[in-house]
Structure formats: structure tokens, C-alpha cells
Amino acid sequence: MALFAIALSGLWVRTAWVQLFEGDTLADRASRQGHAAEYEYGERGRILDRNGEMLATSVEAKSVCAYPYEITRPDHTAAVLAKTLKLSVAEVRKKLTSAKQFVWIKRQVTDREAVSVARAGLAGVHQLSEFSRIYPNGHLAGQVLGFVDIDGKGREGVERVFDDRLEPGKARFVVRRDRKGRRFYLDGEGREVDINGHDVKLTIDTHIQHAAEQALAKSIAKYDARAGIVLVVDVESGDILAMANQPFFNPNTVRHSSPTQRRLRAITDIYEPGSTMKPFLFAAALEEGVIEPDTLIDCENGRWKVARKVIRDTHPAKWLPANKVLRYSSNIGCAKIGTDMGADVYHSYLSKLGFGDRTGVILPGESPGILHPAAKWTSVDLAAISFGQGVGATALQLAKAFLCLANQGATKSLRLVKEPRPEHRNAAIQVFSPETAARVLSMMKDVVHEDGTGRSARIEGITMAGKTGTAQKASPDGGYGDQYLSSFVALVPADEPELLVITMIDEPQKANYGSMVAAPVCREITVRTLAYHGKLSETLHADAGETTSLVEAEAQPLDRAVDAPTDRTASGNTVPNIQGMPVRRALEMLVKMGIVPVIKGQGMTVDRQEPAPGKPWPAGQTKEGSDNVFVLWLS
């Protein structure tokens, strides 16, 4: 009994000592062994187009990691992981035998690889959830969107500019584990309510962007060109509806891309615009009273010498009124107008239009262009700049300048982002009077609808103000080489423009005139954009001498207006029959399905279609998911 009493007393003393003197220390040690702080990361914000369609989003993906101190069979584990994840055995084994507490084996693996690793049941190998960035439309607006790195940080484009807004937050929570690391419970105390990043909405319209990229790619392939740019702008708001750049860039495969593909040429590449600059010369000269539309100018029969340089015209002429100087794009006539106006005056107008300065569209890498001070202009420089050579501009600067003409002579800011809204926009400057702007637009209308250089851009029933450009490119060795920039600018409708379309084709090989290379691209994009917005004219010319009202055609009995079978609706996954339909009705039906077709030929009736009626949608896609070309031939 004495021995038991002594033993029991000893236990009580020990218990008291542990409880009273060592309790806090032991409790802290136990907490560190059985509890751990972990973090939960949110999802990166989405990038949407103006209609809420997805341009960039994030999806959950598994990443394979390891705790080297838990690895019992490094050689076997390395061999299995290397085979499953398609990695080097030596590289994996080096990581598994590292002195680090934690190592990544491969991040953002495929679902198949994740399942295979889980089934292998390798000790010390774990999988964590991360978010992988996905661009569901492939290369659509790829350079505009940019891309993120493996850690989800924006590196170029919109992803970089709005990285702080798109970036997700993280929530801290406490986990209790047993000796094998298995989780017992989750303590959510202190977690943030919303840890996802915020969305960004662009002014880009997915359907118009697709039409622009498609038309651009076709022209570049046809003329074996080096690169190309298309801009589509809503005149009233200044919203950029499409910004297409080729070569295309797919952000999903950034590892396989080059800096050339990732470059957003519309804001980085500087070009001598050539004849597309001439409308600004005429606007400045009209504003200053240097010329009137009917002022006669001696165009020297196509050859004129300034200092030691000879200026030539493609279409030689002697005396031309000023409006025809623009219509026929006479370099000599423009050089004489610029000389009469003077360097200081013309330079001031170009500066007000934004040349030589960035447009303010919030994307990285924008160039200010090249506009030397007027004091440094020689007589040759003034003559050359008057017809668009000797000055460097980006496609975006050109768009902003034409937006001024379309906006009754007042400047307007271009906009690429709808949300978040910019804190402030630049105040408008009245560069030209509304009367001057209207006169220049009327001259540009003659370029398309009379015997001007832009005849190939005509759209029956639609008025268009346009200007072609064929600029000789500077050679790296000095002077000018044998490569050209072919361009065309369209404002639709001509009198009160609602839409601005700019096309620039860099170094076409099989032809170089803007009227041949760039104007048809503008025409196709304009037709598809107007069709998408339901703004095709009520009248389309069946031929040069006949105008037929679509309203009248649709009001006719069905057997007169439409010769095809009556079953024309889309049935399941088959292509509808729209042959024989009036153009407007066919376009309205296709646009409702999310399809903007390619129009070929002129007329008011659909003569033929591709894909043919009744066939399955290409590649097994439904009408809503198909982004294949739908072609209509008119008669």
C-alpha cells in the first residue's frame, strides 16, 4: 500500500508539473504538428466581348507535386512519373531527391495524366488544383487579349494591362491532419467572401472580329503578303469593333509562338500611309482657304521636279480640279497644294489630328509614330508628306484621324474597353469645320462611286466614302525599295458615317495597288458587318442598270419571289435551304443563327449556297457552334 501510495503521488506530481508548468509549451507543439495553414486561390477574371461572349476564361486543372521527404522509392517513382507525364527520368529523380520540402513535378497536366498519376498511388506524390487560362476562340483577337504565364500573371495585351483587376485573391484556412497528412476538418474562419478576379469587357464584337480576320487571311493568302491589319470602328461611340492582325497568334499555344506573331501590329508598326493621308491635306487646305473643290491644279502630265527629286503620277493628267486630284489620287496635285499651304500650317493640322502622338488606347507597346518638326521639313519633305510619304503612322493613329472627319471635324477618342470605364476621356478638339468635313467626305465618295481609284469597294445600294493607298516602303539600305503597303479606308454611309473600316496589307507580292488588294477586303467586311447589324440597304442593284426593291420582292407571292422548296428552316444539325431567297431575308435568318456569311457576286437573290442545303453542319458542329465559312452566291 505504501508503494502504491508513493507511485500514485508521483503521478499526481508529474501531472501537475505537465499541466501547470509545461502545458502551454506542449499545446503549442501539438498544434504545430497537427494543424497547418493552407491557402485557397480564386479564379482569374474573365475577358468578354461587348455582347458578353467569352474571350478568355479559366478552368480548374491539376498540378502534380511531391514532398521529397515522403518518397520511399525514388527510382521507381521517377520512372512512373516520367513515363506518365512525358518527362525526363533524370530530371524527375533530381526533384524527388531534392533537399526541399516541396517540389513541382508538372503543372496543369491533362485530365488523362491526372487520372494516371492518381491510379499509380505513389507515396509522397500529390495533386493540387490550379486554374489554367483558356481562350475558347483560338487566335481570335489573340494579340489584343495577350496571354498569362504559368503562374497566371498577365504578360501581354489586355491580360497585362488589367492584371491587377483580373488577378484572383486567396483565402487562408486552417487544416487539422493526422500523422499521415489526412485532413480531419476545415476551419473557414477568416476566409474572404469573394476571392475571384473581376471581369473585363471589351468593345470588340466577336462576330465582326471573326469576319475581319477571315477576310484579311483570304487576301494575304491570295497576294502572298507579309502581314496585314484591319480596324473596324463605330463612329458614334469611337468603339473599336474589330482589331485584326496577321500573322495570327493563338494564346493557347504561346510556347510555340514567336514575337512576330504576338506583336499587335495595329499599335506597334509604323507605316508611311501613302495616299490615305491625302484627305487630311484637302481638309486642311479647304479650311485655310488655299483651295476650293473646283480650283484648277496643273498636274504636269504626270511628272514634276521638286529640287532634285522627281514626283510621278500613276495616271498622268494636265489640269485637274481639286476634287479630281483626290479622286484620281494625283501625287503632283497634292504636292502643289501642300507647297501652297506651307509646312507650319500643315504640320499644325497633323498634330491636332494626333499624328506623332499616342492615341491613348490602353495597350502596351503603342508607338507615337513619326512626325518631324515643321522647321526640319525641306521642300522635298513637304511635297512628300503632302501625299503620305515621309511621315510614319500606326493604323490606330490613322483610324483616329479619319474618325475626326467622320465626326464633323471634331476629334474623338478611340475606345477598346467598355468595363471598367475609363476615368476620363480626352476633350474633343474642333480641327475642321463641319462644312469642311462634309466637303472632304463628298470628295471621298466620288473616289468610290465615280471613276475614282476605289471603284472596287462599291456596295450596291450603299453609299461609301473611301480612299486607296499604295505607299512605297522605305528600304533598309536607304531610299525606297520595291515593296509596298496597300491600304484602303472606308466610311459608311458617306454622308453621315456610322462605320469606319481600315485595311492595310503589308508587302503583297502578286499586286500592290490598294484598289486591287485592300479595297475588296474592306468591301467584304463592310457587307458582313452591315448584314450582322441588319443595316443592309433596302435596295440592291441586280445589275448596273436595274434597281429592285427588296421590300417589293418580299411582298410578292412566294412562288414569284422564291423558287426553292418551302422548307427553309434549320432542322436539327442540318444546313437550311436559303437558295432563291432575297438577300436581306437570307442574311437576317443566318445572323440569328450566329452566322455571318461571305457574300459573292452582285444581285438581290441567293443563287447558290455552300454548304449545300440539307447537309450536316461541318465537323459535326451545330449551327450555334459552327465557325466555318458560309458562302452565298448572288444573282
Side-chain angles (χ1 to χ4, degrees), residues 31-53:
S31 177
R32 289 201 304 270
Q33 289 177 354
H35 293 77
E38 294 189 357
Y39 294 91
E40 177 182 332
Y41 292 89
E43 182 179 345
R44 188 174 176 85
R46 302 169 300 171
I47 303 177
L48 311 171
D49 84 338
R50 64 187 299 110
N51 302 312
E53 294 192 25

Side-chain angles (χ1 to χ4, degrees), residues 327 445-452 455 458:
R327 185 189 304 179
K445 180 180 177 182
D446 291 345
V447 171
V448 177
H449 293 281
E450 297 297 332
D451 57 341
R455 299 187 300 276
R458 289 177 185 168

